[in-house]
Amino acid sequence: MEPVDPARPGSESPVTRGSAEPYPAHWEADVLLRDGSTMRIRPILPSDADALQAFHEAQSEESTYFRFFAPLRSLPPRDLARLVMVDHTDRVALVMLSGDRIVAVGRYDRIEAGTAEVAFNVSDAHQGRGLGSVLLEHLAAAARERGIDRFVADVLPSNARMIRVFSDAGYDVRQRYEDGVISLEFQIDPTQRSLDVVASREQRTDAASMRALLAPEGVLVVAGEESDGQANLARRIAANLAARGDVTCVGEPLREVAAEHGHPWLPGLPAEPVPAATLAYVAIAPGVVLDLLPTLAAAGVRGVVVLGSGFDRDGAPTQVQLVAAARAAGVRLVGPRSYGLVLRPRDVADDAGSTGTDQAGTDDDVTAAPPADAATANGTLAHPGPAAGPVALFSQSAALSAQLLAATVANGIGVATYVSAGHRADVSGNDLLQYASDLPDVRAVALYLESLGNPRKFARVAGRVSSRVPVVAVVGASQRGEGGLGRAALEEAMLAAGVIVAPTMQAMLDAVALASAAPLPRGRRVAVLGSSIALIGLAAGQLSHVDPDPILVTYDARGGAEAVSAAVERLSAQEWDVAVVIHVDLLGELDPAILSALTGLTSSGRPVLAVVPGLHGLTPELAVPRLEGGTTDAGQEVVPAYPSVEEAVAALELVLRYAQRRRRDPGSLVEPAELDLRAARGIVEDTLAAHPEGATLEPAQTRAFLAALGITMLPSHIVHSTRQAVTLAREIGWPVALKSLDPELRRRSLGGVRLDITRPLELVEAMRTVRLRQGGTGPVELQAMAPLGVACVVRGWDDPIVGPVVSFGLAGDATELLEDATYALPPLRSGDVHRLVRGIRAAPRLLSRLADRLDAEPDLEPLEDVIARVAEAVEAIPQLRALRADAGARDRGGHPRALRVGPGRPGDPARRRPPRPATRRAVRKVGG
């Protein structure tokens, strides 16, 4: 397979674009392979010549022949120079590195407009690990960015492995046999199948890397000197892992604890022999950690938990250096300052396999509980640790992790797996989601998120996982930082991505207790059963917005269990979707017979909550033997208990929101056609080159940017005099609009906007009025008026916490003062777009006014198309800080108020963002 024959000295690409592009640093990426190990992809550099020659000379004759169609034991100097000298536009090459060694190369050469010839060469020692597939994904993304939409390649018939790389990627590959060579060609525009392939590969690789951490084959616990002040952390981990027989302690401070709990002990590393282990806990000085990583990797360790802190302090290594060292060693990193992990038995994790996480479950899905022998191990600093159960748990800082695990134990919530990411240098909540999506015994996921390391990936992954199990989160930093979403907006945006946002840690655990212990409600019909008429009335009032007419049933607690059973039987025969049981004993005594009778409601297969003073969470007092085949097995179902009606209703509301979202058809991924993201990105990069700190785009730049998105602005001009205004109004045509250039005055209620100006005299008066509002002088903006419609506001911005956000509302007071807007996290599906337009409180006003003015059913597709284009821009261009389009609810023009750009935020995952399939639509215009 040969794009441009290096044996033809001086051969050049037939298509030339002039000078080379600057080095595309955003193409660099750390990637995971199918076995969970890590490598790095980056564009090739001239300094890679020696490494490329070494890579080539290490290849077998067969691999060299497959690549060059001829034996070539070493690359001639001139050809070697050409292979490492590329222009990053017409000639692009990406290398994959394991440490400092090149282990794979992928390149393309443009042969005509829109078409490039592609070639790969993967080290013989790394065949079968998925390097070619990952390189193809990244090379195709780079090519699309450079305006290429088709790859071609020549492959020898015997090179079946390379042919499979292309076909398995999900592209529609056409083959033609000619002159002893198979010629392949395929469009690299993403298809639904190629997207599914990328998502599936990403999930498998992420899960594989986490399996070495959370279901390890052996554990090392490494302590440094006592003077480090961290040895106690290692001692606690070693003691908590006493039940595991594959733990080895390393370091003098662990000699006694190893002897006490029967762990093998080594004085230090390296030592011969080092027991097999894929996970290591380290509690040593920061500088020693970096030196130890290669030794651990050589011993087979693939995941390292850094318990201590101290990085980024004076004289200590930085976290950036720590991650770089971990990448070079090929290991995943948890921490620094991690609180630890809850480990799973390796055999149980391996039996889980793939569960088809891309398929949405039904509303009443409850995954089977873990087998009785699926005991977890407490690899955290907590004592005692949580029991085994159906919840996957994630948190970050050690202090919050200690609180979370203590609350989890107090609420009786069992944990299937847990990660404390600490300072989140590497492993994040996204990794836990990917791993948990592969576990059939997980019924719910709980995340305490202080920040989102990769917001774009979080929205994508959480949406897939939440199609199977509830995902409940507290976003601790959601109300910190300038420009962050408010609480209501955050909840709506996250719920659109499938995540239930709880206000507090306890509220999250309350919701998780219900979501993990019972099937999802099929609807919103509520029944309330209790011994107190007052409390039943209170519950009915608090549930009125859920069910205005709930079923209310009382019983006389003095009648004992028989009276309760009779009430339960009456209620079971009625139609409801979820029941709240309230039982209060005035003396504070809990009658086991009464509690057992109350749990009888679960026999209907519908969710039940209990409000019992003195009980909270999943308690044995409300356990119900689980029946299988008519017999009682060793497992139990537990009715979640809450100490008050208010807390029970709050948990129920969160779960009902999730259940309603789960029942809603999300639709297909939406991407409008004919977007030139390369041109839009170029405008942003040019602006940032002149203003590195960020800037608001000038009108001409804004117009060009929107044109690249397929959005056409209505004509507008900056005018300095009434004479100029009248002349331009006659040119663009009446009616016109006049707007102040002061952003604060552009609200219509403040008098900075005058619309529907139809005559010169009206324009003169409008000029005088608007100028008075902004100080008496100065230029104003003259714009063509859109036809009759309803003015709307479409906004997109890069939120400092959750990443790209898009919102919709009506222009004017509804959005500016009443904050009546809807929110979603890209990438958007058709269901998201429909909900954005129809979910605002003023939606009836929008639809009725449009129907009245159009005298027909409103056509909202043009407006939805604008929303989709704005969402695509804020997701695809991390440097785009904010874009606001004042759009009419029809397909005519307008313009945005502001389009701001700034430096890409740290960790912007441009290279890991998979492409999305296009949906053909006409280019739309936005109106003001």
Side-chain angles (χ1 to χ4, degrees):
M1 188 169 46
E2 170 58 353
V4 177
D5 188 356
R8 299 197 308 264
S11 63
E12 299 295 339
S13 171
V15 179
T16 335
R17 295 200 168 194
S19 61
E21 293 275 351
Y23 177 80
H26 64 284
W27 289 356
E28 297 181 352
D30 294 315
V31 297
L32 291 171
L33 305 180
R34 64 179 53 155
D35 60 2
S37 60
T38 62
M39 288 191 182
R40 183 155 186 83
I41 288 179
R42 63 164 171 79
I44 202 167
L45 295 167
S47 57
D48 289 323
D50 291 342
L52 184 63
Q53 185 72 276
F55 163 76
H56 176 84
E57 292 177 352
Q59 291 290 77
S60 65
E61 290 185 6
E62 181 183 54
S63 294
T64 300
Y65 189 78
F66 282 160
R67 170 63 179 88
F68 295 107
F69 295 1
L72 194 64
R73 293 312 307 157
S74 64
L75 296 169
R78 183 173 181 180
D79 298 333
L80 180 61
R82 184 180 182 282
L83 289 174
V84 297
M85 296 291 292
V86 296
D87 60 12
H88 306 301
T89 301
D90 298 322
R91 300 182 60 248
V92 167
L94 301 179
V95 294
M96 187 172 287
L97 304 174
S98 177
D100 296 329
R101 294 179 296 108
I102 294 176
V103 295
V105 184
R107 62 175 68 241
Y108 75 72
D109 285 63
R110 193 190 303 261
I111 56 177
E112 60 184 42
T115 301
E117 195 167 8
V118 65
F120 293 95
N121 199 0
V122 177
S123 168
D124 293 333
H126 294 276
Q127 295 283 346
R129 301 181 64 193
L131 276 67
S133 298
V134 175
L135 268 175
L136 177 60
E137 175 190 337
H138 286 252
L139 198 62
R144 286 192 296 269
E145 188 176 317
R146 297 307 194 217
I148 292 171
D149 56 21
R150 187 171 70 112
F151 275 169
V152 298
D154 289 337
V155 184
L156 292 173
S158 54
N159 194 357
R161 188 188 298 271
M162 190 52 61
I163 296 174
R164 281 199 306 273
V165 167
F166 295 129
S167 58
D168 290 349
Y171 297 115
D172 184 13
V173 180
R174 290 183 290 176
Q175 302 184 23
R176 185 179 70 257
Y177 183 79
E178 186 176 2
D179 296 331
V181 174
I182 297 178
S183 296
L184 309 174
E185 65 175 83
F186 53 95
Q187 297 293 125
I188 59 174
D189 286 337
T191 65
Q192 190 60 58
R193 180 167 172 258
S194 70
L195 292 173
D196 292 341
V197 167
V198 169
S200 177
R201 179 171 64 245
E202 182 181 55
Q203 190 278 326
R204 288 196 309 272
T205 57
D206 288 354
S209 71
M210 293 301 292
R211 194 170 295 118
L213 287 161
L214 296 171
E217 295 179 351
V219 181
L220 297 177
V221 182
V222 184
E225 302 294 333
E226 289 286 358
S227 59
D228 292 342
Q230 301 183 24
N232 283 335
L233 303 178
R235 278 192 279 264
R236 172 59 65 85
I237 294 294
N240 283 348
L241 290 176
R244 283 188 71 114
D246 59 353
V247 177
T248 300
C249 295
V250 181
E252 185 61 33
L254 298 182
R255 182 196 291 265
E256 291 185 9
V257 74
E260 179 182 353
H261 296 287
H263 298 316
W265 177 80
L266 296 173
L269 293 176
E272 294 293 344
V274 177
T278 61
L279 172 66
Y281 288 85
V282 297
I284 52 181
V288 182
V289 174
L290 270 64
D291 296 334
L292 186 62
L293 288 175
T295 303
L296 292 172
V301 169
R302 289 171 49 196
V304 176
V305 180
V306 181
L307 298 170
S309 58
F311 294 87
D312 294 309
R313 295 178 182 172
D314 291 342
T318 66
Q319 284 192 186
V320 173
Q321 291 173 315
L322 174 63
V323 174
R327 293 286 185 269
V331 300
R332 296 302 307 271
L333 190 72
V334 182
R337 201 56 173 157
S338 169
Y339 198 68
L341 314 171
V342 170
L343 307 180
R344 294 168 61 82
R346 182 69 182 188
D347 55 347
V348 173
D350 284 344
D351 288 344
S354 177
T355 58
T357 53
D358 290 329
Q359 299 299 319
T362 57
D363 288 342
D364 57 348
D365 281 347
V366 178
T367 310
D373 61 349
T376 57
N378 177 24
T380 75
L381 296 172
H383 186 76
V391 176
L393 199 61
F394 175 86
S395 59
Q396 289 178 223
S397 74
L400 277 172
S401 298
Q403 296 179 47
L404 178 60
L405 284 186
T408 301
V409 172
N411 284 266
I413 295 174
V415 174
T417 189
Y418 166 68
V419 173
S420 165
H423 295 169
R424 196 179 45 74
D426 177 19
V427 168
S428 69
N430 295 335
D431 296 291
L432 186 277
L433 282 170
Q434 295 280 47
Y435 178 66
S437 69
D438 224 14
L439 303 179
D441 55 305
V442 168
R443 295 184 182 179
V445 179
L447 310 168
Y448 198 110
L449 302 170
E450 297 170 57
S451 62
L452 297 179
N454 186 330
R456 290 166 171 84
K457 183 174 179 178
F458 177 81
R460 192 172 67 246
V461 173
R464 188 179 71 253
V465 176
S466 66
S467 69
R468 188 177 74 85
V469 296
V471 178
V472 189
V474 175
V475 184
S478 61
Q479 297 181 20
R480 298 203 312 267
E482 183 180 356
L485 281 170
R487 172 164 174 74
L490 175 78
E491 289 182 1
E492 181 183 339
M494 296 283 273
L495 185 63
V499 179
I500 311 169
V501 177
T504 64
M505 179 187 295
Q506 186 58 58
M508 175 183 74
L509 294 177
D510 286 345
V512 164
L514 175 57
S516 65
L520 292 177
R522 292 181 175 273
R524 301 175 69 85
R525 296 170 300 178
V526 181
V528 184
L529 171 66
S531 58
S532 166
I533 295 177
L535 287 178
I536 288 177
L538 174 64
Q542 294 199 2
L543 289 164
S544 60
H545 61 289
V546 174
D547 183 353
D549 188 23
I551 299 172
L552 306 179
V553 177
T554 62
Y555 60 86
D556 187 348
R558 293 171 297 180
E562 291 184 2
V564 175
S565 296
V568 166
E569 186 175 349
R570 293 197 310 273
L571 185 56
S572 296
Q574 301 189 54
E575 294 294 327
W576 48 270
D577 299 305
V578 60
V580 180
V581 176
I582 305 173
H583 178 75
V584 178
D585 188 295
L586 297 181
L587 298 179
E589 299 175 352
L590 298 178
D591 185 341
I594 290 179
L595 296 181
S596 178
L598 288 172
T599 61
L601 276 177
T602 61
S603 62
S604 65
R606 292 169 283 187
V608 179
L609 303 78
V611 178
V612 181
L615 299 182
H616 197 176
L618 303 177
T619 65
E621 291 86 351
L622 292 172
V624 185
R626 186 170 54 247
L627 298 178
E628 292 197 9
T631 61
T632 303
D633 69 4
Q636 291 179 327
E637 299 288 351
V638 182
V639 174
Y642 302 89
S644 70
V645 171
E646 291 82 359
E647 288 163 291
V649 170
L652 177 58
E653 287 177 335
L654 291 177
V655 174
L656 283 172
R657 290 188 71 188
Y658 168 76
Q660 183 178 12
R661 188 256 179 196
R662 176 105 159 236
R663 289 192 296 269
R664 188 171 61 234
D665 180 10
S668 58
L669 285 167
V670 174
E671 182 184 31
E674 302 172 19
L675 278 76
D676 189 348
L677 290 176
R678 183 189 178 197
R681 191 177 288 109
I683 294 169
V684 171
E685 291 173 351
D686 289 345
T687 302
L688 289 176
H691 306 279
E693 73 287 352
T696 298
L697 266 62
E698 298 295 333
Q701 295 173 307
T702 299
R703 187 180 298 274
F705 183 90
L706 292 180
L709 300 184
I711 300 174
T712 302
M713 293 170 53
L714 288 174
S716 65
H717 304 273
I718 305 300
V719 295
H720 299 267
S721 66
T722 54
R723 181 186 297 275
Q724 182 187 14
V726 171
T727 301
L728 288 173
R730 287 171 175 161
E731 291 180 3
I732 64 179
W734 307 94
V736 296
L738 200 69
K739 301 179 181 181
S740 171
L741 295 183
D742 185 340
E744 292 300 318
L745 292 176
R746 290 176 77 98
R747 299 178 184 177
R748 297 178 190 179
S749 59
L750 299 180
V753 177
R754 297 292 299 273
L755 305 177
D756 290 315
I757 302 171
T758 60
R759 296 180 301 169
L761 289 179
E762 291 180 15
L763 181 57
V764 171
E765 176 61 24
M767 282 277 292
R768 187 184 69 83
T769 302
V770 171
R771 276 183 159 178
L772 283 174
R773 292 286 184 182
Q774 64 181 21
T777 59
V780 295
E781 183 178 6
L782 182 75
Q783 182 184 1
M785 278 290 297
L788 288 177
V790 179
C792 304
V793 176
V794 180
R795 295 177 60 215
W797 70 97
D798 184 25
D799 186 82
I801 302 299
V802 299
V805 181
V806 64
S807 75
F808 171 78
L810 299 189
D813 294 346
T815 297
E816 303 290 351
L817 301 180
L818 303 180
E819 298 183 352
D820 180 17
T822 48
Y823 303 84
L825 303 180
L828 300 185
R829 292 182 175 270
S830 55
D832 296 320
V833 179
H834 296 328
R835 178 187 58 81
L836 283 168
V837 176
R838 295 163 179 81
I840 56 174
R841 296 192 298 274
R845 175 184 173 220
L846 167 66
L847 298 176
S848 62
R849 288 179 63 186
L850 280 176
D852 291 342
R853 292 181 178 184
L854 301 176
D855 196 24
E857 187 70 20
D859 177 16
L860 297 178
E861 183 181 350
L863 182 59
E864 293 176 353
D865 185 64
V866 171
I867 293 173
R869 293 175 186 277
V870 171
E872 171 67 15
V874 296
E875 186 197 9
I877 306 175
Q879 300 89 347
L880 181 59
R881 286 287 181 266
L883 190 164
R884 169 168 175 156
D886 293 343
R890 298 181 64 182
D891 57 346
R892 297 297 297 272
H895 88 93
R897 295 190 186 180
L899 202 161
R900 297 195 304 276
V901 297
R905 299 190 190 277
D908 280 331
R911 297 299 305 138
R912 292 300 298 158
R913 170 185 174 269
R916 302 198 308 281
T919 301
R920 287 287 168 187
R921 288 184 178 176
V923 175
R924 301 295 183 185
K925 299 180 181 181
V926 296

